[in-house]
Amino acid sequence: MLTKIKNRILMKINRFLKKTILMLFLSVWGIALMAQERAIQGKVTDDSGMPLPGVTIVVKGTTNGTVTDVEGNYSINLPENVEVLVFSFIGMETEEVNVAGKMRVDVTMKSSVIGMDEVIVVGYGIQKKSDVISSVVSVKPESVNKVPSTDLGEMLKGKAAGVFVTLGDAGPGSSSNILIRGKNSINGGNDPIVIADGVPIGGINDINPNDIASIEILKDAAAQAIYGARASNGVILITTKRAKAGQATVNYSGYYGMQTVERNFDVYSGEEFAKLRREAFRADNGYYLPDEEIFTATELEVLESGEFIDWEDEVLRVAPIQNHNLSVATGNERTKVYSSINYMNQEGVVPGTDYQKGTIRFNFDQKVTDWLSFGANTSWQISENNDPGTGGTLQRTITTSPLGKIYNEDGSYKLNPTDVQESFNPLLDIETTSNLKQDRNDIMNIFIDVKPFDNFKYRLNASRRSWNSKTESYSTAESLNGVRRGEMGLGSIYFQDNVEWQFENIVTYDIEAGLHKLGLTGVQSITQSKYTDFRNNADNFPNDLLGIYGLESAEINTPTIGANERGLVSFVARAQYTFNDKYYLNLSARADASTVFGENNKWGYFPAAALGWNVYREPFIESVDAISNLKLRASYGSVGNEAISPYRSQSTANQNDYMFGGVKRTGYVPGSFLPNPDLRWETSTTLNMAVDFGLWRNRLSGTFEFYNTRTKDLLVTQSLNAGLGYTSMLTNLGEIENQGFEVSLNGVVVDKKDISINAGFSFSTNKNKIIHLYGTDEDGDGIEDDDVANQWFIGEPIDVYYQWMPVGIWQEGEDIVNSHQPDMEPGDIKLLDKNEDGVLNADDRVLTHADPEWYGSFNFDVKFKNFDFSADVMTVQGRVRWNNYNYDYNSGGSLRGIYNGIKQDYWLPENPTGNWPRPQESNDRTNIWTMALEDASYVRLQNVTIGYTLPKALLERIKLSNLRIYCTGHNLVTITDYKSYSPEKNASDYPEAVSVVGGVQLTF
């Protein structure tokens, strides 16, 4: 730096030879001082000349810096080797200014609306966020990867308005149920389609989350229509990472932690269960019976010793989880390569359950000439899942009496711990059953891009996705099933194979003339998939030496084989017009032909249109300083649903074996399913209206969105009169309306040099209702008939409960005899007399909606110097679920004192305030099943993460680009009234884990 400064001084001397020697001396002396440390002052203003307070000014490549004062002024002392300062401020473009040889630097910063130049992925293309006029929400991969889970669906929970994620199975390697904007179908399926790098994949967990560059969720018809088929339930677009020219990076990320469970219920302890049984017998006999008459010898012994069994402690465990990911990205202007390898290992909280998965990805791009390039996206994934079938084990963990013994005297498991024949040892099947599933999932995508002239591109996109699975199940002779079969083993082996091909021809042409922009897209696509399976069930193994591989020795072998094929041909056209970046018009149309529909209705046609107005670009809004974004948008369009199995439009034939001449012969007779050549697409048409806004340079931004979807030609299985020779037919009937309102808010609370705070909030409400069903009016009242058997009611949601409603417990002294339940007695369930006619009948049944009234999330992020902290809170309100454990005999809910169960405050003459019916040993209490409905609303602290990133100065010394360590807690606190391990699952389902992990992120 001294050399440069001296050269500048010499040039000035040559220009100003008339300067005095004194002036030359003073100049050189001043420069020498600057070389050691110099002060720079200046003022920062916006493009209108107004001072900007709070602008962050740092020395490039360091964290050393300052901020401007209320007048926009600053002063900073710089070391001798500093040449560049970086000026940054929320809502402004970041400026890098060369300050070499300067004593004063004034900077004018240009306005930049936060996030509006962000590029997001849409169907068959990308757009700037400011140009998007359909309902597309982008989820940041870094927020997703904070969640320590094997399930990407679980990672998305609470990340996007209108996306409702529920637990599918909490076991290792499980997947979630994703519902985008509610249910649009009764039988046609409601799962969204997932597309990764332009390839439809089998499920969201086919992709390694660490490989994801972006996630976009298409929610309205204008965004979805270009995918037509299978898009009626929403589209999830995943783009994987690619290398950048001139950059070579190696990244490692990994975590290790532990999992445990928290339950929102108690079971009866040993003393409490003994009391429950005594009370159950008392209710039948009118007095307490001696313990010797109601307990077995084993139970009496345990009661005497007080050595009660806590079956949950015996069955469940603290289990580890770990994930490791290594990626390498490198490239130049012509060749770019991204590769990664991932290993996931999750042991289950139930012994014998675990999941391992390995994924390898290889993406590359090759530029051959200026007009020709090609590339590939490939992924290979293998997994292994052990799950011996824990549903029965977990149920027995709750229902088996604590008054028992785990082991026999020889150390083996005691089959009936209490010597009661109905009660079995929960630990038995953990040791004696196995269920190993091995999967292989390959995705291979190759594309060729041709650009013969400016703004025109043709892409050939070809992909093959294959999935293979082998499942081996075996129960030994000592297992519960083995004992029930006379102490003989049983098992099965199951092979599945699916291959899907897709070929697409994609043409895009962009035209720009002055203030006009027009983007044209055309697509021709063909997809074909073939599925095969083979299963062999084997019973009565003579021994367990070879497990399932000894099936040849089994007394009974039952093989079954199956296969199906399906295909889809599609044509797509789209035009996107923009005028002056203010007015937008998008038009699209798609035609699909699917093999699963009737021969008369193979084709479906799905048009869509969208309008947008960037109001904030109008002169009358640009003058309003507070408004940095205001966009109005509306869309209307249709999408289709083909989520039915192949051959459902055709008739079926059943195999019929018979003896002819003493020889077994096989023939086929018509099945019970009537063919329907007119079976057609289920079509959803959506109106979407939204307002996007940003205030104070987008320090507060958000979206308000309303949608209304009508789905017609519902795919419904209709019952037929058996006299026709057929009992059912898949047909198109009825109509459903589905509408909702969504709010997303994001705020930059603080943005200072050393600290930034951001907060986000989302709110979603969705209501669906049946508009039409079969169109029949058999009672002649002028109103279309409901389908009470299926609990489908005109004007009501798809999912409802229709039953009598409990309102309390009958008390002593009440006039029961003259009530609408004259046969009841104190301690029985009191039901609502809905019409108050003094008679309990079908007219007193009450409709209860199962779906939540609303759900939402709140997220909070803080960065303080090198520390970062984030927290996510998720809530679901107004949801009602059916809980077997509140009433069912086999689930211990009937209070008969035979099975243990979820602890209830039951009624007794001495406890008249109890809210559950009186225990009774001889039989279930009348109408106890009405107690099954339970409020499943909850508030959950979903994720909490705290991290620390090493300073750049230290990283430079150890030759690293980045090193961050962190700790994350998942599902830490759940507040709910629903009695289970999770408000989304029953108590016998695999428990949802609470996990705490520590991790590291490293970049070379």
Side-chain angles (χ1 to χ4, degrees):
M1 181 178 175
L2 284 172
T3 302
K4 291 182 180 179
I5 296 174
K6 288 177 180 178
N7 288 336
R8 290 192 185 117
I9 295 300
L10 290 174
M11 290 176 65
K12 290 182 180 180
I13 293 173
N14 290 331
R15 290 178 186 151
F16 304 102
L17 294 175
K18 295 181 180 181
K19 296 289 184 181
T20 63
I21 297 174
L22 178 61
M23 290 294 295
L24 178 61
F25 171 77
L26 291 175
S27 298
V28 175
W29 179 74
I31 292 170
L33 290 178
M34 288 173 60
Q36 298 172 14
E37 185 173 281
R38 70 185 191 278
I40 290 183
Q41 298 177 342
K43 186 172 186 177
V44 182
T45 59
D46 63 14
D47 43 17
S48 65
M50 296 297 292
L52 287 177
V55 174
T56 300
I57 306 162
V58 297
V59 176
K60 186 177 181 180
T62 75
T63 57
N64 301 325
T66 186
V67 293
T68 57
D69 60 21
V70 293
E71 298 296 329
N73 297 314
Y74 73 94
S75 176
I76 184 171
N77 293 323
L78 302 180
E80 62 181 25
N81 59 342
V82 170
E83 293 187 359
V84 179
L85 289 179
V86 180
F87 295 74
S88 61
F89 186 66
I90 194 82
M92 295 290 181
E93 294 181 0
T94 299
E95 302 280 350
E96 293 189 6
V97 180
N98 192 309
V99 296
K102 299 178 182 178
M103 302 291 291
R104 181 175 181 86
V105 176
D106 294 329
V107 176
T108 299
M109 302 188 73
K110 297 178 181 179
S111 297
S112 172
V113 179
I114 302 168
M116 297 310 294
D117 290 329
E118 177 186 350
V119 175
I120 65 174
V121 178
V122 296
Y124 297 104
I126 59 174
Q127 283 185 295
K128 287 197 304 182
K129 187 175 181 180
S130 59
D131 293 337
V132 174
I133 58 173
S134 53
S135 186
V136 180
V137 60
S138 183
V139 180
K140 295 181 178 179
E142 54 267 28
S143 68
V144 167
N145 281 308
K146 290 179 180 179
V147 182
S149 174
T150 60
D151 177 24
L152 182 53
E154 172 72 9
M155 299 177 184
L156 285 174
K157 184 177 287 186
K159 303 299 183 184
V163 180
F164 187 50
V165 180
T166 56
L167 196 64
D169 176 8
S174 62
S175 60
S176 296
N177 301 315
I178 302 175
L179 199 63
I180 298 176
R181 290 187 164 180
K183 285 189 173 182
N184 291 316
S185 180
I186 293 178
N187 288 334
N190 289 282
D191 295 329
I193 180 176
V194 183
I195 296 175
D197 296 322
V199 180
I201 59 177
I204 199 167
N205 291 325
D206 290 355
I207 301 296
N208 169 21
N210 296 278
D211 288 335
I212 295 176
S214 68
I215 302 174
E216 275 76 32
I217 301 173
L218 314 186
K219 299 192 293 183
D220 72 339
Q224 300 162 357
I226 198 165
Y227 290 105
R230 301 174 289 180
S232 64
N233 301 313
V235 181
I236 299 176
L237 299 180
I238 296 175
T239 304
T240 58
K241 294 177 180 178
R242 316 197 74 77
K244 297 179 180 179
Q247 296 184 8
T249 60
V250 178
N251 288 279
Y252 166 80
S253 62
Y255 62 76
Y256 182 91
M258 305 303 289
Q259 308 163 94
T260 185
V261 296
E262 292 290 337
R263 68 185 187 191
N264 188 48
F265 64 91
D266 292 314
V267 296
Y268 297 101
S269 65
E271 294 93 343
E272 292 168 339
F273 182 72
K275 178 184 177 182
L276 172 65
R277 182 173 293 181
R278 294 181 183 118
E279 292 295 345
F281 277 92
R282 173 195 177 194
D284 285 330
N285 296 278
Y287 56 89
Y288 290 111
L289 296 179
D291 281 357
E292 292 76 12
E293 295 186 24
I294 61 176
F295 294 104
T296 66
T298 299
E299 291 174 322
L300 289 171
E301 182 182 340
V302 174
L303 279 170
E304 179 71 22
S305 67
E307 295 178 354
F308 307 119
I309 303 173
D310 186 332
W311 287 110
E312 184 184 87
D313 282 350
E314 297 293 335
V315 172
L316 302 183
R317 65 180 180 181
V318 175
I321 182 174
Q322 58 181 308
N323 185 292
H324 305 278
N325 193 84
L326 179 67
S327 66
V328 179
T330 185
N332 53 40
E333 290 299 329
R334 288 194 171 273
T335 305
K336 305 179 188 70
V337 177
Y338 172 86
S339 60
S340 71
I341 184 169
N342 176 263
Y343 173 72
M344 160 67 75
N345 187 318
Q346 180 185 14
E347 294 187 26
V349 294
V350 179
T353 62
D354 60 71
Y355 179 72
Q356 296 184 77
K357 181 172 70 173
T359 304
I360 297 175
R361 173 164 289 277
F362 182 78
N363 293 350
F364 81 90
D365 300 272
Q366 179 67 49
K367 183 178 180 181
V368 181
T369 68
D370 289 339
W371 59 269
L372 178 64
S373 61
F374 65 91
N377 306 293
T378 60
S379 173
W380 297 272
Q381 186 181 94
I382 57 173
S383 64
E384 190 173 276
N385 189 357
N386 283 294
D387 182 2
T390 56
T393 297
L394 291 167
Q395 177 165 309
R396 289 189 287 276
T397 300
I398 296 171
T399 61
T400 302
S401 166
L403 310 177
K405 295 185 177 180
I406 300 174
Y407 303 102
N408 294 309
E409 292 184 0
D410 62 1
S412 61
Y413 284 123
K414 188 175 176 65
L415 179 63
N416 306 114
T418 63
D419 294 325
V420 174
Q421 296 302 310
E422 293 176 279
S423 181
F424 296 96
N425 196 324
L427 295 169
L428 189 64
D429 280 350
I430 292 177
E431 299 286 343
T432 58
T433 64
S434 63
N435 186 74
L436 174 64
K437 184 180 182 183
Q438 297 172 305
D439 289 345
R440 190 189 74 192
N441 196 347
D442 304 334
I443 302 173
M444 302 178 66
N445 168 234
I446 299 174
F447 59 88
I448 300 173
D449 290 336
V450 180
K451 301 177 182 178
F453 50 89
D454 290 343
N455 302 321
F456 180 90
K457 184 174 78 171
Y458 163 75
R459 167 169 286 195
L460 172 63
N461 195 41
S463 64
R464 179 185 184 271
R465 186 183 71 87
S466 64
W467 169 73
N468 312 94
S469 175
K470 180 177 73 171
T471 305
E472 302 170 359
S473 301
Y474 190 72
S475 298
T476 70
E478 296 179 349
S479 68
L480 183 56
N481 282 330
V483 170
R484 288 169 173 169
R485 284 168 170 76
E487 297 188 355
M488 300 188 78
L490 68 153
S492 67
I493 190 164
Y494 185 33
F495 297 94
Q496 295 170 280
D497 182 82
N498 187 83
V499 178
E500 182 171 335
W501 292 87
Q502 177 178 275
F503 295 94
E504 291 182 315
N505 294 290
I506 307 169
V507 176
T508 59
Y509 185 44
D510 297 321
I511 305 169
E512 186 169 349
L515 300 178
H516 303 274
K517 297 177 184 177
L518 178 63
L520 302 175
T521 303
V523 181
Q524 181 271 324
S525 174
I526 183 170
T527 303
Q528 185 178 29
S529 65
K530 182 177 182 179
Y531 169 84
T532 58
D533 65 41
F534 172 79
R535 179 192 292 271
N536 192 97
N537 294 322
D539 291 286
N540 298 344
F541 285 70
N543 58 65
D544 300 322
L545 294 176
L546 299 177
I548 189 58
Y549 287 96
L551 60 83
E552 291 181 352
S553 65
E555 292 182 6
I556 304 172
N557 275 288
T558 308
T560 57
I561 190 169
N564 65 62
E565 289 188 62
R566 66 189 303 154
L568 185 71
V569 176
S570 307
F571 296 91
V572 182
R574 179 178 64 191
Q576 298 169 298
Y577 172 74
T578 304
F579 176 71
N580 198 23
D581 290 332
K582 287 194 292 187
Y583 310 109
Y584 301 87
L585 172 64
N586 290 355
L587 299 173
S588 67
R590 179 165 179 136
D592 291 295
S594 175
T595 60
V596 302
F597 293 111
E599 60 181 354
N600 299 333
N601 284 303
K602 295 292 186 186
W603 286 93
Y605 303 94
F606 311 105
L611 294 169
W613 179 23
N614 265 336
V615 184
Y616 82 98
R617 294 188 185 275
E618 298 289 353
F620 62 88
I621 292 294
E622 287 182 339
S623 61
V624 181
D625 293 336
I627 299 176
S628 49
N629 179 35
L630 181 60
K631 180 167 62 179
L632 307 179
R633 50 186 172 87
S635 66
Y636 185 80
S638 299
V639 289
N641 192 343
E642 60 152 4
I644 58 173
S645 301
Y647 318 126
R648 294 293 301 276
S649 67
Q650 302 175 15
S651 60
T652 58
N654 296 332
Q655 180 177 322
N656 194 11
D657 298 334
Y658 61 95
M659 300 299 293
F660 184 79
V663 179
K664 178 184 175 182
R665 303 293 185 183
T666 298
Y668 294 90
V669 297
S672 61
F673 212 77
L674 181 67
N676 182 3
D678 295 320
L679 189 68
R680 59 187 178 274
W681 291 80
E682 185 176 275
T683 303
S684 297
T685 303
T686 300
L687 170 67
N688 192 89
M689 295 184 292
V691 177
D692 301 322
F693 71 92
L695 301 175
W696 306 293
R697 297 188 178 92
N698 272 14
R699 292 198 71 148
L700 176 64
S701 61
T703 298
F704 296 96
E705 200 148 13
F706 169 81
Y707 61 91
N708 181 284
T709 300
R710 287 289 186 103
T711 303
K712 64 178 183 178
D713 297 331
L714 301 173
L715 294 163
V716 177
T717 301
Q718 184 177 11
S719 298
L720 302 175
N721 188 332
L724 298 173
Y726 299 93
T727 59
S728 60
M729 176 181 69
L730 186 63
T731 187
N732 299 97
L733 293 171
E735 184 176 358
I736 290 174
E737 181 184 73
N738 185 21
Q739 69 178 26
F741 183 69
E742 300 165 0
V743 178
S744 297
L745 296 175
N746 293 284
V748 180
V749 182
V750 176
D751 184 47
K752 298 294 184 182
K753 172 188 173 183
D754 290 330
I755 184 171
S756 65
I757 302 176
N758 297 276
F761 168 78
S762 71
F763 168 90
S764 305
T765 180
N766 172 269
K767 305 293 181 185
N768 66 67
K769 66 179 179 180
I770 299 172
I771 304 299
H772 300 297
L773 279 172
Y774 311 111
T776 58
D777 182 18
E778 294 183 0
D779 56 10
D781 62 355
I783 301 174
E784 184 177 347
D785 294 336
D786 299 319
D787 185 345
V788 179
N790 285 312
Q791 295 196 355
W792 296 335
F793 301 90
I794 306 298
E796 298 292 341
I798 299 171
D799 295 325
V800 299
Y801 301 104
Y802 188 49
Q803 64 172 58
W804 291 323
M805 184 63 61
V807 292
I809 303 297
W810 286 108
Q811 302 291 328
E812 293 177 334
E814 288 191 272
D815 188 7
I816 300 176
V817 174
N818 294 313
S819 73
H820 59 294
Q821 294 177 267
D823 297 328
M824 299 297 101
E825 60 183 37
D828 279 331
I829 297 170
K830 182 190 293 186
L831 300 175
L832 174 68
D833 183 8
K834 181 180 175 182
N835 53 16
E836 299 182 351
D837 62 356
V839 178
L840 184 67
N841 54 30
D843 294 336
D844 292 309
R845 289 177 292 182
V846 176
L847 272 171
T848 302
H849 297 173
D851 296 329
E853 295 178 0
W854 66 276
Y855 55 94
S857 63
F858 175 78
N859 58 76
F860 187 72
D861 292 277
V862 179
K863 290 183 179 179
F864 177 70
K865 294 187 176 180
N866 291 75
F867 290 93
D868 61 89
F869 171 84
S870 65
D872 299 321
V873 177
M874 173 79 182
T875 183
V876 175
Q877 296 297 319
R879 193 180 190 199
V880 176
R881 298 191 72 246
W882 184 276
N883 194 340
N884 289 341
Y885 288 82
N886 284 344
Y887 78 94
D888 181 59
Y889 169 74
N890 291 317
S891 302
S894 60
L895 300 179
R896 294 174 62 181
I898 299 172
Y899 288 117
N900 201 0
I902 292 179
K903 185 177 176 180
Q904 307 288 2
D905 181 17
Y906 51 79
W907 187 95
L908 292 173
E910 300 81 12
N911 183 36
T913 60
N915 58 8
W916 231 252
R918 185 178 186 178
Q920 177 178 275
E921 191 275 337
S922 60
N923 211 336
D924 295 356
R925 282 287 173 183
T926 304
N927 299 319
I928 193 172
W929 60 271
T930 62
M931 306 292 287
L933 296 186
E934 197 165 34
D935 183 7
S937 303
Y938 68 88
V939 177
R940 170 176 286 170
L941 181 58
Q942 188 84 1
N943 299 294
V944 174
T945 298
I946 185 168
Y948 178 77
T949 302
L950 266 64
K952 287 190 176 297
L954 179 58
L955 290 172
E956 289 175 357
R957 286 202 295 268
I958 59 178
K959 307 302 181 183
L960 292 177
S961 297
N962 182 65
L963 176 58
R964 176 178 177 264
I965 56 175
Y966 67 92
C967 180
T968 294
H970 181 54
N971 291 341
L972 293 179
V973 179
T974 302
I975 303 171
T976 182
D977 291 331
Y978 191 78
K979 300 180 183 69
S980 184
Y981 288 101
S982 167
E984 297 177 352
K985 305 297 289 183
N986 283 338
S988 61
D989 295 321
Y990 203 101
E992 187 173 17
V994 176
S995 58
V996 177
V997 305
V1000 60
Q1001 295 169 337
L1002 187 65
T1003 302
F1004 296 92

